[in-house]
Amino acid sequence: METTENRQTIFSGIQPTGNLTLGNYLGALKNMSSLQSAYDCIYCVVDMHSITVTQEPSTLRKKTYDLLALYLATGLDPTRSIIFVQSHVSAHAELTWVLNCLTYMGEASRMTQYKEKSKQHADNINVGLFDYPVLMASDILLYNTALVPIGQDQKQHLELARTLAQRFNAKYSPTFIVPEPYIAKVGGKIMSLANPTKKMSKSDVNENASIYLTDDADIIVRKVKRAVTDSDSTIRHSASKAGISNLIVIYSLSSGKSIKEVEKQFEGSNYGIFKQAVADSVIAKLSPIQQEQKRLLQDKTYLDSVLKEGAIKAETLARRTLAKVYRKVGLIPRQF
Ligand code: TRP
């Protein structure tokens, strides 16, 4: 990693569960790749977060490699960034314990994601699910992270990480950088194809609502053609045309053209032609990624070497922070 003194650190993590969507790619992964030129980036596969809900062990293992290969296929570069799996660096769990002892029950109980997931998984409301945001705070705080690229749904969790950093710094002495959310200049929110006023989500039960990163060309064409639009016929980005606006954003982000350029290009055209063009641009963007991911998944030796290198680099940084934290709270250092 090219570390220069004034480069800020970015940390981001994705869970290796669920089916990632085009929204995850255009809203997150694509930006994660471009951030590498200006920041020291640390990209984590957060497998320990995933076990807060029931997982089939063999599926979790497979999906962890799938996500690692996807990271690499979308351009995350292990020679420039630290790419690793959370459970390989035990300091994440260890810092979580210390931060647990600084987190109030009331604070953790107010997390809306915890409340929502408790409803969804009513048969398994476990302590880990409750503690999920503290583990996330540890991910971030271990690496002197300045910026965390997150969507709206993770704002409250980042706020807790900030609170815990400030609380620790005030109670002991300045130790943690207080992280800020990183809001991407481009990218942003991709909406559901079935209900364009709702975000495209990997947990949506309606398969037609999302384009999955694993969808092949035929499926992408079918889903885009079925996307909900209005009864008008002008291809214009506007608040009253949520469906068409969403497709314009998708086309814009996957083709690299501005919204204005897209509107101009399809002036006088019709929805059928436009939808085909949207599908084609999505396919052109996703299919090379899918091919590269597939190729990488056949090379476990390489993937394992990336994981090893990433874990070693992350561990070095994380241990340094954890040692400081342990010392400050009064845990005596091991002398053996
Ligand atoms: N909770 C995040 C999500 O579901 C994933 C995550 C875990 C994360 N640790 C993180 C994101 C640290 C950013 C930084 O989206």
Side-chain angles (χ1 to χ4, degrees), residues 281-300:
S281 74
V282 170
I283 293 163
K285 199 80 211 170
L286 293 190
S287 80
I289 294 172
Q290 291 168 341
Q291 280 167 29
E292 178 62 358
Q293 184 190 25
K294 208 165 144 201
R295 188 189 69 78
L296 287 163
L297 282 169
Q298 280 156 2
D299 194 351
K300 279 275 157 63

Side-chain angles (χ1 to χ4, degrees), residues 19-242:
N19 274 326
L20 289 179
T21 70
L22 182 67
N24 297 116
Y25 174 67
L26 295 175
L29 282 159
K30 195 163 166 269
N31 291 322
M32 285 162 68
S33 169
S34 43
L35 289 168
Q36 296 177 113
S37 54
Y39 299 94
D40 285 340
C41 296
I42 305 182
Y43 293 133
C44 189
V45 176
V46 291
D47 55 348
M48 289 166 68
H49 278 105
S50 293
I51 60 169
T52 58
V53 303
T54 307
Q55 302 295 340
E56 171 61 45
S58 59
T59 310
L60 178 60
R61 225 170 276 136
K62 177 181 177 298
K63 291 217 162 210
T64 300
Y65 278 110
D66 285 352
L67 182 56
L68 170 67
L70 183 68
Y71 273 1
L72 302 174
T74 57
L76 307 192
D77 175 357
T79 67
R80 288 199 287 167
S81 302
I82 298 179
I83 299 172
F84 76 110
V85 169
Q86 188 184 34
S87 61
H88 290 176
V89 180
S90 61
H92 290 247
E94 294 167 283
L95 180 61
T96 299
W97 182 254
V98 177
L99 296 181
N100 277 339
C101 300
L102 287 178
T103 307
Y104 304 121
M105 293 296 290
E107 244 163 9
S109 310
R110 279 195 292 277
M111 295 290 131
T112 47
Q113 193 173 77
Y114 168 68
K115 290 192 259 183
E116 276 166 24
K117 285 196 178 172
S118 301
K119 278 188 215 141
Q120 278 168 25
H121 306 276
D123 57 335
N124 182 20
I125 307 175
N126 61 76
V127 177
L129 189 64
F130 185 66
D131 206 26
Y132 179 115
V134 184
L135 178 59
M136 178 166 161
S138 302
D139 296 341
I140 296 165
L141 299 181
L142 275 173
Y143 299 97
N144 294 323
T145 303
L147 296 166
V148 186
I150 44 160
Q152 195 59 38
D153 64 326
Q154 296 298 312
K155 277 232 170 106
Q156 198 185 24
H157 288 167
L158 184 66
E159 201 46 55
L160 179 69
R162 290 171 52 83
T163 302
L164 292 176
Q166 283 159 340
R167 189 170 298 155
F168 189 98
N169 291 348
K171 185 162 182 188
Y172 301 99
S173 61
T175 307
F176 295 122
I177 291 182
V178 182
E180 303 278 344
Y182 177 90
I183 312 295
K185 287 180 202 75
V186 287
K189 222 163 154 185
I190 304 300
M191 311 306 279
S192 153
L193 299 181
N195 177 0
T197 57
K198 230 179 66 182
K199 195 178 156 189
M200 186 181 283
S201 160
K202 63 174 176 172
S203 49
D204 201 314
V205 288
N206 179 359
E207 295 209 343
N208 291 316
S210 307
I211 292 172
Y212 299 113
L213 297 184
T214 48
D215 284 348
D216 65 25
D218 290 347
I219 296 179
I220 293 172
V221 171
R222 182 165 51 78
K223 286 181 175 175
V224 174
K225 291 250 158 115
R226 289 178 57 146
V228 170
T229 49
D230 49 62
S231 54
D232 180 32
S233 65
T234 46
I235 295 148
R236 188 168 38 81
H237 191 278
S238 110
S240 61
K241 294 167 69 70

